[in-house]
Amino acid sequence: MNEIIYEHHHHQDPKFPIIFHYDTLNKCEGFTMHYHENIEILYFVKGNGVATCGANHVEVGCGDLLVVNSNELHFLYTASMELEYYCLIADKSFCESFEVDVEDLILQNLIKDNGLVHYMEQIIDEMDKQKKHYKSVVQGLVILLLAECYRNYSLGQLQVSDTTWNHKMENVKKAIIYIKNHFSEALTIDDICKHVGFSKYYMCRVFKEITGQTVVEYINFLRCDYARNLLSSGKYNVKESAEKCGIPNLSYFSKTYKKYMGNLPSKENI
């Protein structure tokens, strides 16, 4: 059975909430089943394969767009020697700022639309050439792409079936929402359990099962990601960022920050 992982998305530039890259999946490689809260669109340019999105299994090939909805389990394998595609991931909060509700509205997974492909190819061109103001242009194109998707390929409101997995997922989502609203405070697992009404044993076990992380690991990731945004703004030094993100102990903050962000906070470009 494939391991199921909750995937965190890390933006190198906090002011550019788009992840975009080119990927190749070979016959001998595996693709781990995972999910994330952000919407993802894959544009296939070579080869063919099969994508599993939730309960749907769709064949994909050159010129196709595959939409992975928010919190949708997905898996991809290639039916050819290589499957090549571009991956576009738009941050949930960025989408919602333009009234695109990626969490509650769902799109059909497989889309064949030359107009949408044209938007994607414009995004590819901008990301490749990186002309002046390309990040602003890309963000505009992404919103146009998503708006057209939701206008023409929406399946309506998400209907959550009464399954064990979805029940666990909903419980963990409640905890995640609470954590996101309080991670910069002196937050404890007991606080979270009290708010969402779970026992500590259940909370720790199910959270790890669904996200692949412990509750503490998830809190620390959010804290360090927030601190990185503060440091990148140039308005806060390391000590101030540590205090504001909820890790006032500088030694522990530096160690934790390096673990999750890859650099010491003092080495970040400000």
mmCIF file with all atom_site columns, all heavy atoms in Angstrom, residues 3-23:
data_model
loop_
_atom_site.group_PDB
_atom_site.id
_atom_site.type_symbol
_atom_site.label_atom_id
_atom_site.label_alt_id
_atom_site.label_comp_id
_atom_site.label_asym_id
_atom_site.label_entity_id
_atom_site.label_seq_id
_atom_site.pdbx_PDB_ins_code
_atom_site.Cartn_x
_atom_site.Cartn_y
_atom_site.Cartn_z
_atom_site.occupancy
_atom_site.B_iso_or_equiv
_atom_site.pdbx_formal_charge
_atom_site.auth_seq_id
_atom_site.auth_comp_id
_atom_site.auth_asym_id
_atom_site.auth_atom_id
_atom_site.pdbx_PDB_model_num
ATOM 1   N N   . GLU A 1 3  ? 2.258  4.897  0.796   1.00 0.00 ? 3  GLU A N   1
ATOM 2   C CA  . GLU A 1 3  ? 2.202  5.814  1.927   1.00 0.00 ? 3  GLU A CA  1
ATOM 3   C C   . GLU A 1 3  ? 1.428  7.061  1.514   1.00 0.00 ? 3  GLU A C   1
ATOM 4   O O   . GLU A 1 3  ? 1.569  7.549  0.397   1.00 0.00 ? 3  GLU A O   1
ATOM 5   C CB  . GLU A 1 3  ? 3.617  6.199  2.349   1.00 0.00 ? 3  GLU A CB  1
ATOM 6   C CG  . GLU A 1 3  ? 3.655  7.112  3.556   1.00 0.00 ? 3  GLU A CG  1
ATOM 7   C CD  . GLU A 1 3  ? 5.066  7.546  3.902   1.00 0.00 ? 3  GLU A CD  1
ATOM 8   O OE1 . GLU A 1 3  ? 5.986  7.241  3.130   1.00 0.00 ? 3  GLU A OE1 1
ATOM 9   O OE2 . GLU A 1 3  ? 5.218  8.199  4.945   1.00 0.00 ? 3  GLU A OE2 1
ATOM 10  N N   . ILE A 1 4  ? 0.596  7.567  2.396   1.00 0.00 ? 4  ILE A N   1
ATOM 11  C CA  . ILE A 1 4  ? -0.192 8.760  2.109   1.00 0.00 ? 4  ILE A CA  1
ATOM 12  C C   . ILE A 1 4  ? 0.408  9.925  2.889   1.00 0.00 ? 4  ILE A C   1
ATOM 13  O O   . ILE A 1 4  ? 0.591  9.852  4.098   1.00 0.00 ? 4  ILE A O   1
ATOM 14  C CB  . ILE A 1 4  ? -1.663 8.548  2.487   1.00 0.00 ? 4  ILE A CB  1
ATOM 15  C CG1 . ILE A 1 4  ? -2.259 7.412  1.648   1.00 0.00 ? 4  ILE A CG1 1
ATOM 16  C CG2 . ILE A 1 4  ? -2.467 9.817  2.285   1.00 0.00 ? 4  ILE A CG2 1
ATOM 17  C CD1 . ILE A 1 4  ? -3.648 7.005  2.070   1.00 0.00 ? 4  ILE A CD1 1
ATOM 18  N N   . ILE A 1 5  ? 0.712  10.985 2.195   1.00 0.00 ? 5  ILE A N   1
ATOM 19  C CA  . ILE A 1 5  ? 1.435  12.104 2.802   1.00 0.00 ? 5  ILE A CA  1
ATOM 20  C C   . ILE A 1 5  ? 0.678  13.409 2.593   1.00 0.00 ? 5  ILE A C   1
ATOM 21  O O   . ILE A 1 5  ? 0.153  13.666 1.512   1.00 0.00 ? 5  ILE A O   1
ATOM 22  C CB  . ILE A 1 5  ? 2.841  12.229 2.189   1.00 0.00 ? 5  ILE A CB  1
ATOM 23  C CG1 . ILE A 1 5  ? 3.693  11.008 2.546   1.00 0.00 ? 5  ILE A CG1 1
ATOM 24  C CG2 . ILE A 1 5  ? 3.529  13.516 2.638   1.00 0.00 ? 5  ILE A CG2 1
ATOM 25  C CD1 . ILE A 1 5  ? 5.061  11.011 1.920   1.00 0.00 ? 5  ILE A CD1 1
ATOM 26  N N   . TYR A 1 6  ? 0.621  14.218 3.658   1.00 0.00 ? 6  TYR A N   1
ATOM 27  C CA  . TYR A 1 6  ? 0.143  15.591 3.513   1.00 0.00 ? 6  TYR A CA  1
ATOM 28  C C   . TYR A 1 6  ? 1.330  16.433 3.082   1.00 0.00 ? 6  TYR A C   1
ATOM 29  O O   . TYR A 1 6  ? 2.361  16.458 3.752   1.00 0.00 ? 6  TYR A O   1
ATOM 30  C CB  . TYR A 1 6  ? -0.428 16.122 4.832   1.00 0.00 ? 6  TYR A CB  1
ATOM 31  C CG  . TYR A 1 6  ? -0.858 17.564 4.736   1.00 0.00 ? 6  TYR A CG  1
ATOM 32  C CD1 . TYR A 1 6  ? -2.048 17.908 4.105   1.00 0.00 ? 6  TYR A CD1 1
ATOM 33  C CD2 . TYR A 1 6  ? -0.065 18.578 5.253   1.00 0.00 ? 6  TYR A CD2 1
ATOM 34  C CE1 . TYR A 1 6  ? -2.441 19.229 4.002   1.00 0.00 ? 6  TYR A CE1 1
ATOM 35  C CE2 . TYR A 1 6  ? -0.447 19.902 5.148   1.00 0.00 ? 6  TYR A CE2 1
ATOM 36  C CZ  . TYR A 1 6  ? -1.633 20.225 4.524   1.00 0.00 ? 6  TYR A CZ  1
ATOM 37  O OH  . TYR A 1 6  ? -2.006 21.538 4.409   1.00 0.00 ? 6  TYR A OH  1
ATOM 38  N N   . GLU A 1 7  ? 1.221  17.096 1.952   1.00 0.00 ? 7  GLU A N   1
ATOM 39  C CA  . GLU A 1 7  ? 2.344  17.824 1.377   1.00 0.00 ? 7  GLU A CA  1
ATOM 40  C C   . GLU A 1 7  ? 2.254  19.313 1.705   1.00 0.00 ? 7  GLU A C   1
ATOM 41  O O   . GLU A 1 7  ? 1.281  19.980 1.360   1.00 0.00 ? 7  GLU A O   1
ATOM 42  C CB  . GLU A 1 7  ? 2.352  17.629 -0.146  1.00 0.00 ? 7  GLU A CB  1
ATOM 43  C CG  . GLU A 1 7  ? 3.505  18.290 -0.860  1.00 0.00 ? 7  GLU A CG  1
ATOM 44  C CD  . GLU A 1 7  ? 3.482  18.001 -2.348  1.00 0.00 ? 7  GLU A CD  1
ATOM 45  O OE1 . GLU A 1 7  ? 2.844  18.773 -3.096  1.00 0.00 ? 7  GLU A OE1 1
ATOM 46  O OE2 . GLU A 1 7  ? 4.086  17.003 -2.770  1.00 0.00 ? 7  GLU A OE2 1
ATOM 47  N N   . HIS A 1 8  ? 3.274  19.818 2.374   1.00 0.00 ? 8  HIS A N   1
ATOM 48  C CA  . HIS A 1 8  ? 3.367  21.256 2.628   1.00 0.00 ? 8  HIS A CA  1
ATOM 49  C C   . HIS A 1 8  ? 4.010  21.942 1.432   1.00 0.00 ? 8  HIS A C   1
ATOM 50  O O   . HIS A 1 8  ? 4.911  21.392 0.799   1.00 0.00 ? 8  HIS A O   1
ATOM 51  C CB  . HIS A 1 8  ? 4.234  21.528 3.862   1.00 0.00 ? 8  HIS A CB  1
ATOM 52  C CG  . HIS A 1 8  ? 3.597  21.105 5.148   1.00 0.00 ? 8  HIS A CG  1
ATOM 53  N ND1 . HIS A 1 8  ? 2.473  21.682 5.644   1.00 0.00 ? 8  HIS A ND1 1
ATOM 54  C CD2 . HIS A 1 8  ? 3.948  20.133 6.017   1.00 0.00 ? 8  HIS A CD2 1
ATOM 55  C CE1 . HIS A 1 8  ? 2.152  21.104 6.793   1.00 0.00 ? 8  HIS A CE1 1
ATOM 56  N NE2 . HIS A 1 8  ? 3.026  20.151 7.037   1.00 0.00 ? 8  HIS A NE2 1
ATOM 57  N N   . HIS A 1 9  ? 3.551  23.121 1.111   1.00 0.00 ? 9  HIS A N   1
ATOM 58  C CA  . HIS A 1 9  ? 4.126  23.873 0.009   1.00 0.00 ? 9  HIS A CA  1
ATOM 59  C C   . HIS A 1 9  ? 4.905  25.067 0.544   1.00 0.00 ? 9  HIS A C   1
ATOM 60  O O   . HIS A 1 9  ? 4.386  25.849 1.339   1.00 0.00 ? 9  HIS A O   1
ATOM 61  C CB  . HIS A 1 9  ? 3.029  24.324 -0.957  1.00 0.00 ? 9  HIS A CB  1
ATOM 62  C CG  . HIS A 1 9  ? 2.383  23.179 -1.668  1.00 0.00 ? 9  HIS A CG  1
ATOM 63  N ND1 . HIS A 1 9  ? 1.045  23.148 -1.999  1.00 0.00 ? 9  HIS A ND1 1
ATOM 64  C CD2 . HIS A 1 9  ? 2.908  21.994 -2.101  1.00 0.00 ? 9  HIS A CD2 1
ATOM 65  C CE1 . HIS A 1 9  ? 0.781  22.003 -2.615  1.00 0.00 ? 9  HIS A CE1 1
ATOM 66  N NE2 . HIS A 1 9  ? 1.888  21.299 -2.676  1.00 0.00 ? 9  HIS A NE2 1
ATOM 67  N N   . HIS A 1 10 ? 6.132  25.170 0.095   1.00 0.00 ? 10 HIS A N   1
ATOM 68  C CA  . HIS A 1 10 ? 7.061  26.177 0.598   1.00 0.00 ? 10 HIS A CA  1
ATOM 69  C C   . HIS A 1 10 ? 7.383  27.154 -0.536  1.00 0.00 ? 10 HIS A C   1
ATOM 70  O O   . HIS A 1 10 ? 7.902  26.760 -1.576  1.00 0.00 ? 10 HIS A O   1
ATOM 71  C CB  . HIS A 1 10 ? 8.337  25.482 1.077   1.00 0.00 ? 10 HIS A CB  1
ATOM 72  C CG  . HIS A 1 10 ? 9.377  26.412 1.614   1.00 0.00 ? 10 HIS A CG  1
ATOM 73  N ND1 . HIS A 1 10 ? 9.206  27.132 2.762   1.00 0.00 ? 10 HIS A ND1 1
ATOM 74  C CD2 . HIS A 1 10 ? 10.609 26.731 1.143   1.00 0.00 ? 10 HIS A CD2 1
ATOM 75  C CE1 . HIS A 1 10 ? 10.292 27.857 2.993   1.00 0.00 ? 10 HIS A CE1 1
ATOM 76  N NE2 . HIS A 1 10 ? 11.147 27.625 2.018   1.00 0.00 ? 10 HIS A NE2 1
ATOM 77  N N   . HIS A 1 11 ? 7.029  28.416 -0.350  1.00 0.00 ? 11 HIS A N   1
ATOM 78  C CA  . HIS A 1 11 ? 7.275  29.436 -1.373  1.00 0.00 ? 11 HIS A CA  1
ATOM 79  C C   . HIS A 1 11 ? 8.598  30.144 -1.085  1.00 0.00 ? 11 HIS A C   1
ATOM 80  O O   . HIS A 1 11 ? 8.767  30.770 -0.033  1.00 0.00 ? 11 HIS A O   1
ATOM 81  C CB  . HIS A 1 11 ? 6.133  30.453 -1.404  1.00 0.00 ? 11 HIS A CB  1
ATOM 82  C CG  . HIS A 1 11 ? 4.797  29.826 -1.693  1.00 0.00 ? 11 HIS A CG  1
ATOM 83  N ND1 . HIS A 1 11 ? 4.443  29.385 -2.945  1.00 0.00 ? 11 HIS A ND1 1
ATOM 84  C CD2 . HIS A 1 11 ? 3.741  29.557 -0.884  1.00 0.00 ? 11 HIS A CD2 1
ATOM 85  C CE1 . HIS A 1 11 ? 3.223  28.876 -2.901  1.00 0.00 ? 11 HIS A CE1 1
ATOM 86  N NE2 . HIS A 1 11 ? 2.784  28.964 -1.656  1.00 0.00 ? 11 HIS A NE2 1
ATOM 87  N N   . GLN A 1 12 ? 9.518  30.041 -2.024  1.00 0.00 ? 12 GLN A N   1
ATOM 88  C CA  . GLN A 1 12 ? 10.817 30.694 -1.854  1.00 0.00 ? 12 GLN A CA  1
ATOM 89  C C   . GLN A 1 12 ? 10.654 32.208 -1.730  1.00 0.00 ? 12 GLN A C   1
ATOM 90  O O   . GLN A 1 12 ? 11.355 32.855 -0.972  1.00 0.00 ? 12 GLN A O   1
ATOM 91  C CB  . GLN A 1 12 ? 11.726 30.364 -3.038  1.00 0.00 ? 12 GLN A CB  1
ATOM 92  C CG  . GLN A 1 12 ? 12.129 28.907 -3.134  1.00 0.00 ? 12 GLN A CG  1
ATOM 93  C CD  . GLN A 1 12 ? 12.976 28.457 -1.963  1.00 0.00 ? 12 GLN A CD  1
ATOM 94  O OE1 . GLN A 1 12 ? 13.737 29.231 -1.390  1.00 0.00 ? 12 GLN A OE1 1
ATOM 95  N NE2 . GLN A 1 12 ? 12.845 27.190 -1.595  1.00 0.00 ? 12 GLN A NE2 1
ATOM 96  N N   . ASP A 1 13 ? 9.720  32.772 -2.484  1.00 0.00 ? 13 ASP A N   1
ATOM 97  C CA  . ASP A 1 13 ? 9.424  34.199 -2.415  1.00 0.00 ? 13 ASP A CA  1
ATOM 98  C C   . ASP A 1 13 ? 8.015  34.345 -1.847  1.00 0.00 ? 13 ASP A C   1
ATOM 99  O O   . ASP A 1 13 ? 7.036  34.020 -2.519  1.00 0.00 ? 13 ASP A O   1
ATOM 100 C CB  . ASP A 1 13 ? 9.510  34.827 -3.809  1.00 0.00 ? 13 ASP A CB  1
ATOM 101 C CG  . ASP A 1 13 ? 9.201  36.326 -3.798  1.00 0.00 ? 13 ASP A CG  1
ATOM 102 O OD1 . ASP A 1 13 ? 8.854  36.859 -2.731  1.00 0.00 ? 13 ASP A OD1 1
ATOM 103 O OD2 . ASP A 1 13 ? 9.309  36.946 -4.876  1.00 0.00 ? 13 ASP A OD2 1
ATOM 104 N N   . PRO A 1 14 ? 7.886  34.823 -0.605  1.00 0.00 ? 14 PRO A N   1
ATOM 105 C CA  . PRO A 1 14 ? 6.561  34.943 0.016   1.00 0.00 ? 14 PRO A CA  1
ATOM 106 C C   . PRO A 1 14 ? 5.601  35.830 -0.768  1.00 0.00 ? 14 PRO A C   1
ATOM 107 O O   . PRO A 1 14 ? 4.388  35.707 -0.632  1.00 0.00 ? 14 PRO A O   1
ATOM 108 C CB  . PRO A 1 14 ? 6.875  35.562 1.390   1.00 0.00 ? 14 PRO A CB  1
ATOM 109 C CG  . PRO A 1 14 ? 8.298  35.202 1.648   1.00 0.00 ? 14 PRO A CG  1
ATOM 110 C CD  . PRO A 1 14 ? 8.964  35.239 0.303   1.00 0.00 ? 14 PRO A CD  1
ATOM 111 N N   . LYS A 1 15 ? 6.153  36.728 -1.599  1.00 0.00 ? 15 LYS A N   1
ATOM 112 C CA  . LYS A 1 15 ? 5.305  37.628 -2.375  1.00 0.00 ? 15 LYS A CA  1
ATOM 113 C C   . LYS A 1 15 ? 4.861  37.005 -3.706  1.00 0.00 ? 15 LYS A C   1
ATOM 114 O O   . LYS A 1 15 ? 4.129  37.632 -4.474  1.00 0.00 ? 15 LYS A O   1
ATOM 115 C CB  . LYS A 1 15 ? 6.054  38.940 -2.642  1.00 0.00 ? 15 LYS A CB  1
ATOM 116 C CG  . LYS A 1 15 ? 6.377  39.728 -1.371  1.00 0.00 ? 15 LYS A CG  1
ATOM 117 C CD  . LYS A 1 15 ? 7.131  40.997 -1.688  1.00 0.00 ? 15 LYS A CD  1
ATOM 118 C CE  . LYS A 1 15 ? 7.477  41.759 -0.415  1.00 0.00 ? 15 LYS A CE  1
ATOM 119 N NZ  . LYS A 1 15 ? 8.264  42.992 -0.701  1.00 0.00 ? 15 LYS A NZ  1
ATOM 120 N N   . PHE A 1 16 ? 5.330  35.791 -3.970  1.00 0.00 ? 16 PHE A N   1
ATOM 121 C CA  . PHE A 1 16 ? 4.967  35.096 -5.203  1.00 0.00 ? 16 PHE A CA  1
ATOM 122 C C   . PHE A 1 16 ? 4.393  33.726 -4.825  1.00 0.00 ? 16 PHE A C   1
ATOM 123 O O   . PHE A 1 16 ? 5.112  32.726 -4.781  1.00 0.00 ? 16 PHE A O   1
ATOM 124 C CB  . PHE A 1 16 ? 6.194  34.944 -6.105  1.00 0.00 ? 16 PHE A CB  1
ATOM 125 C CG  . PHE A 1 16 ? 5.890  34.367 -7.469  1.00 0.00 ? 16 PHE A CG  1
ATOM 126 C CD1 . PHE A 1 16 ? 5.015  35.004 -8.333  1.00 0.00 ? 16 PHE A CD1 1
ATOM 127 C CD2 . PHE A 1 16 ? 6.492  33.181 -7.872  1.00 0.00 ? 16 PHE A CD2 1
ATOM 128 C CE1 . PHE A 1 16 ? 4.747  34.479 -9.584  1.00 0.00 ? 16 PHE A CE1 1
ATOM 129 C CE2 . PHE A 1 16 ? 6.219  32.647 -9.129  1.00 0.00 ? 16 PHE A CE2 1
ATOM 130 C CZ  . PHE A 1 16 ? 5.354  33.303 -9.981  1.00 0.00 ? 16 PHE A CZ  1
ATOM 131 N N   . PRO A 1 17 ? 3.087  33.667 -4.544  1.00 0.00 ? 17 PRO A N   1
ATOM 132 C CA  . PRO A 1 17 ? 2.472  32.451 -4.002  1.00 0.00 ? 17 PRO A CA  1
ATOM 133 C C   . PRO A 1 17 ? 2.145  31.396 -5.060  1.00 0.00 ? 17 PRO A C   1
ATOM 134 O O   . PRO A 1 17 ? 1.093  30.766 -5.036  1.00 0.00 ? 17 PRO A O   1
ATOM 135 C CB  . PRO A 1 17 ? 1.199  32.995 -3.348  1.00 0.00 ? 17 PRO A CB  1
ATOM 136 C CG  . PRO A 1 17 ? 0.823  34.146 -4.222  1.00 0.00 ? 17 PRO A CG  1
ATOM 137 C CD  . PRO A 1 17 ? 2.125  34.768 -4.656  1.00 0.00 ? 17 PRO A CD  1
ATOM 138 N N   . ILE A 1 18 ? 3.066  31.214 -5.992  1.00 0.00 ? 18 ILE A N   1
ATOM 139 C CA  . ILE A 1 18 ? 2.896  30.257 -7.070  1.00 0.00 ? 18 ILE A CA  1
ATOM 140 C C   . ILE A 1 18 ? 4.103  29.314 -7.091  1.00 0.00 ? 18 ILE A C   1
ATOM 141 O O   . ILE A 1 18 ? 5.243  29.758 -7.028  1.00 0.00 ? 18 ILE A O   1
ATOM 142 C CB  . ILE A 1 18 ? 2.810  30.958 -8.451  1.00 0.00 ? 18 ILE A CB  1
ATOM 143 C CG1 . ILE A 1 18 ? 1.711  32.033 -8.458  1.00 0.00 ? 18 ILE A CG1 1
ATOM 144 C CG2 . ILE A 1 18 ? 2.605  29.926 -9.566  1.00 0.00 ? 18 ILE A CG2 1
ATOM 145 C CD1 . ILE A 1 18 ? 0.316  31.511 -8.308  1.00 0.00 ? 18 ILE A CD1 1
ATOM 146 N N   . ILE A 1 19 ? 3.828  28.024 -7.177  1.00 0.00 ? 19 ILE A N   1
ATOM 147 C CA  . ILE A 1 19 ? 4.891  27.034 -7.391  1.00 0.00 ? 19 ILE A CA  1
ATOM 148 C C   . ILE A 1 19 ? 4.736  26.519 -8.817  1.00 0.00 ? 19 ILE A C   1
ATOM 149 O O   . ILE A 1 19 ? 3.641  26.132 -9.238  1.00 0.00 ? 19 ILE A O   1
ATOM 150 C CB  . ILE A 1 19 ? 4.778  25.877 -6.391  1.00 0.00 ? 19 ILE A CB  1
ATOM 151 C CG1 . ILE A 1 19 ? 5.015  26.382 -4.959  1.00 0.00 ? 19 ILE A CG1 1
ATOM 152 C CG2 . ILE A 1 19 ? 5.767  24.758 -6.734  1.00 0.00 ? 19 ILE A CG2 1
ATOM 153 C CD1 . ILE A 1 19 ? 4.768  25.338 -3.890  1.00 0.00 ? 19 ILE A CD1 1
ATOM 154 N N   . PHE A 1 20 ? 5.832  26.550 -9.580  1.00 0.00 ? 20 PHE A N   1
ATOM 155 C CA  . PHE A 1 20 ? 5.763  26.136 -10.980 1.00 0.00 ? 20 PHE A CA  1
ATOM 156 C C   . PHE A 1 20 ? 7.064  25.439 -11.351 1.00 0.00 ? 20 PHE A C   1
ATOM 157 O O   . PHE A 1 20 ? 8.143  25.978 -11.152 1.00 0.00 ? 20 PHE A O   1
ATOM 158 C CB  . PHE A 1 20 ? 5.551  27.357 -11.879 1.00 0.00 ? 20 PHE A CB  1
ATOM 159 C CG  . PHE A 1 20 ? 5.241  26.995 -13.307 1.00 0.00 ? 20 PHE A CG  1
ATOM 160 C CD1 . PHE A 1 20 ? 3.964  26.621 -13.676 1.00 0.00 ? 20 PHE A CD1 1
ATOM 161 C CD2 . PHE A 1 20 ? 6.237  27.027 -14.272 1.00 0.00 ? 20 PHE A CD2 1
ATOM 162 C CE1 . PHE A 1 20 ? 3.674  26.283 -14.987 1.00 0.00 ? 20 PHE A CE1 1
ATOM 163 C CE2 . PHE A 1 20 ? 5.958  26.689 -15.587 1.00 0.00 ? 20 PHE A CE2 1
ATOM 164 C CZ  . PHE A 1 20 ? 4.663  26.315 -15.942 1.00 0.00 ? 20 PHE A CZ  1
ATOM 165 N N   . HIS A 1 21 ? 6.966  24.230 -11.864 1.00 0.00 ? 21 HIS A N   1
ATOM 166 C CA  . HIS A 1 21 ? 8.173  23.514 -12.260 1.00 0.00 ? 21 HIS A CA  1
ATOM 167 C C   . HIS A 1 21 ? 7.847  22.457 -13.302 1.00 0.00 ? 21 HIS A C   1
ATOM 168 O O   . HIS A 1 21 ? 6.677  22.100 -13.528 1.00 0.00 ? 21 HIS A O   1
ATOM 169 C CB  . HIS A 1 21 ? 8.864  22.882 -11.046 1.00 0.00 ? 21 HIS A CB  1
ATOM 170 C CG  . HIS A 1 21 ? 7.973  22.067 -10.172 1.00 0.00 ? 21 HIS A CG  1
ATOM 171 N ND1 . HIS A 1 21 ? 7.630  20.770 -10.461 1.00 0.00 ? 21 HIS A ND1 1
ATOM 172 C CD2 . HIS A 1 21 ? 7.331  22.368 -9.024  1.00 0.00 ? 21 HIS A CD2 1
ATOM 173 C CE1 . HIS A 1 21 ? 6.841  20.301 -9.513  1.00 0.00 ? 21 HIS A CE1 1
ATOM 174 N NE2 . HIS A 1 21 ? 6.627  21.254 -8.632  1.00 0.00 ? 21 HIS A NE2 1
ATOM 175 N N   . TYR A 1 22 ? 8.897  21.946 -13.925 1.00 0.00 ? 22 TYR A N   1
ATOM 176 C CA  . TYR A 1 22 ? 8.790  20.918 -14.959 1.00 0.00 ? 22 TYR A CA  1
ATOM 177 C C   . TYR A 1 22 ? 9.214  19.587 -14.362 1.00 0.00 ? 22 TYR A C   1
ATOM 178 O O   . TYR A 1 22 ? 10.227 19.513 -13.668 1.00 0.00 ? 22 TYR A O   1
ATOM 179 C CB  . TYR A 1 22 ? 9.702  21.289 -16.133 1.00 0.00 ? 22 TYR A CB  1
ATOM 180 C CG  . TYR A 1 22 ? 9.618  20.372 -17.319 1.00 0.00 ? 22 TYR A CG  1
ATOM 181 C CD1 . TYR A 1 22 ? 8.578  20.494 -18.236 1.00 0.00 ? 22 TYR A CD1 1
ATOM 182 C CD2 . TYR A 1 22 ? 10.582 19.395 -17.546 1.00 0.00 ? 22 TYR A CD2 1
ATOM 183 C CE1 . TYR A 1 22 ? 8.503  19.666 -19.345 1.00 0.00 ? 22 TYR A CE1 1
ATOM 184 C CE2 . TYR A 1 22 ? 10.512 18.562 -18.647 1.00 0.00 ? 22 TYR A CE2 1
ATOM 185 C CZ  . TYR A 1 22 ? 9.475  18.700 -19.543 1.00 0.00 ? 22 TYR A CZ  1
ATOM 186 O OH  . TYR A 1 22 ? 9.412  17.890 -20.637 1.00 0.00 ? 22 TYR A OH  1
ATOM 187 N N   . ASP A 1 23 ? 8.430  18.545 -14.594 1.00 0.00 ? 23 ASP A N   1
ATOM 188 C CA  . ASP A 1 23 ? 8.714  17.248 -14.003 1.00 0.00 ? 23 ASP A CA  1
ATOM 189 C C   . ASP A 1 23 ? 8.731  16.146 -15.061 1.00 0.00 ? 23 ASP A C   1
ATOM 190 O O   . ASP A 1 23 ? 8.029  16.239 -16.080 1.00 0.00 ? 23 ASP A O   1
ATOM 191 C CB  . ASP A 1 23 ? 7.654  16.880 -12.959 1.00 0.00 ? 23 ASP A CB  1
ATOM 192 C CG  . ASP A 1 23 ? 7.819  17.669 -11.677 1.00 0.00 ? 23 ASP A CG  1
ATOM 193 O OD1 . ASP A 1 23 ? 8.967  17.895 -11.267 1.00 0.00 ? 23 ASP A OD1 1
ATOM 194 O OD2 . ASP A 1 23 ? 6.797  18.074 -11.100 1.00 0.00 ? 23 ASP A OD2 1
#
